[in-house]
Amino acid sequence: MRLGHENAGTVVEVGDEVSTVDVGDSVLCHPVITCGVCRPCRLGEDMYCENVSFPGLTTDGGFAEYLRTGERSVIKLESIDPVEIAPHADAGITAYHAAKKAVDELVPGDACVVVGIGRLGHIGLQVLDAMSAADLVAVDIKDEPLELAEDCGADYAVNSSEDDVASVVDDLTDGEGVSQVLDFVGSDETTALGPDVLAPGGDHHVIGYGGHVHEPAQTLVDGEMSYRGTLVGTYPELQELVALVDDGAVELETSTYSLDEINTVAERLEHGEIEGRAVITP
Ligand SMILES: [Zn+2]
């Protein structure tokens, strides 16, 4: 099976029944192929489709000259270059899905903590900045991502290897705490932050999955806090993200490589030597 689960490109062939895209159209692919007729599909929950396939994970993906997908999965791009937007097909949509859930709960005057300003975190911050008036507190263990965070709309930046995040949040919010935490790391340490920084009724969104959640049940009861998981996002959410990219509200750093270079790129990725997102072109 060929890998490649973040896909965008130009339509080269369509089936007889396809009516929404034509040969030559630029498209961004939602990461899964859905059936459209099961109950989750009818509810708009693409990721819960009972007959789902996931190119790059369960069927041949996009690290090839051609990718086969379904009409329900493609979003026609009017003015955006597929090469520029490809990483939004999974990284971007996942960050957007989590940020949108947080935005639904955030009102002006609230604060939101974003943990881990990496490849997904810096997209999440830009989405929050575009869609919410809440104060954004970026947390990372290194200074360099925190500088990026400020460019992405963070109002405050906290280096958690130097400062105690809970104390800083306490000061910033006059002891009230934040309404939402977006955790792009999901380690034992970062999932422990929620109970320390959340106001009553708050949510800790788990997007990264590096470790475990270890909290006594009573912690969730006393503060009525929730841990909420995040699995990619829906087709309409990817359309919304494309609109944000089109408006210039969300920017992504990409570098382009040819398909011949894919093994070198994979090695460099493993060693943390790739800045931003590497896009492979056929
Ligand atoms: Zn379905």
Side-chain angles (χ1 to χ4, degrees):
M1 193 195 69
R2 289 187 182 88
L3 300 176
H5 69 285
E6 292 181 333
N7 301 306
T10 307
V11 177
V12 291
E13 197 178 329
V14 293
D16 294 342
E17 303 290 322
V18 172
S19 61
T20 58
V21 288
D22 228 324
V23 172
D25 286 344
S26 294
V27 293
L28 174 66
C29 301
H30 186 276
V32 298
I33 302 172
T34 52
C35 74
V37 295
C38 71
R39 181 168 168 80
C41 275
R42 290 177 189 276
L43 290 169
E45 294 289 357
D46 300 287
M47 294 309 298
Y48 306 162
C49 172
E50 291 165 5
N51 305 296
V52 74
S53 59
F54 206 140
L57 270 74
T58 64
T59 58
D60 279 342
F63 290 162
E65 282 78 6
Y66 302 104
L67 169 78
R68 186 179 187 185
T69 185
E71 184 179 17
R72 280 176 53 80
S73 302
V74 293
I75 293 175
K76 195 168 160 181
L77 301 171
E78 299 298 342
S79 55
I80 306 171
D81 180 356
V83 172
E84 294 297 316
I85 203 167
H88 281 308
D90 190 276
I93 189 180
T94 302
Y96 181 84
H97 181 59
K100 188 179 177 183
K101 283 195 287 185
V103 167
D104 285 346
E105 307 295 332
L106 288 166
V107 295
D110 278 353
C112 173
V113 163
V114 180
V115 186
I117 315 304
R119 294 186 177 100
L120 269 71
H122 88 287
I123 300 172
L125 259 180
Q126 293 178 72
V127 172
L128 288 164
D129 188 40
M131 292 170 58
S132 161
D135 285 336
L136 305 177
V137 184
V139 175
D140 205 286
I141 53 170
K142 290 190 237 158
D143 285 331
E144 202 183 337
L146 292 170
E147 284 165 25
L148 171 64
E150 286 175 351
D151 293 339
C152 292
D155 299 288
Y156 306 97
V158 186
N159 185 325
S160 57
S161 60
E162 293 169 3
D163 294 310
D164 178 53
V165 179
S167 310
V168 175
V169 166
D170 202 54
D171 286 345
L172 291 175
T173 62
D174 292 328
E176 285 183 19
V178 301
S179 156
Q180 305 288 303
V181 173
L182 268 76
D183 184 351
F184 288 95
V185 180
S187 67
D188 293 26
E189 292 80 13
T190 61
T191 59
L193 261 182
D196 293 340
V197 300
L198 283 172
D203 300 308
H204 185 123
H205 301 268
V206 180
I207 306 126
Y209 41 89
H212 296 84
V213 179
H214 299 282
E215 294 299 331
Q218 194 179 351
T219 300
L220 276 69
V221 172
D222 286 349
E224 208 168 51
M225 69 152 292
S226 305
Y227 284 99
R228 299 177 66 181
T230 289
L231 178 65
V232 192
T234 65
Y235 180 94
E237 286 172 337
L238 191 55
Q239 287 179 309
E240 291 156 24
L241 177 60
V242 170
L244 282 180
V245 173
D246 207 19
D247 284 347
V250 174
E251 289 178 2
L252 198 60
E253 198 189 323
T254 54
S255 45
T256 308
Y257 303 86
S258 73
L259 191 52
D260 302 340
E261 297 173 279
I262 193 162
N263 291 333
T264 319
V265 173
E267 263 171 46
R268 291 180 60 194
L269 256 184
E270 199 174 350
H271 296 114
E273 293 166 3
I274 302 268
E275 292 280 315
R277 306 293 293 193
V279 179
I280 305 293
T281 56

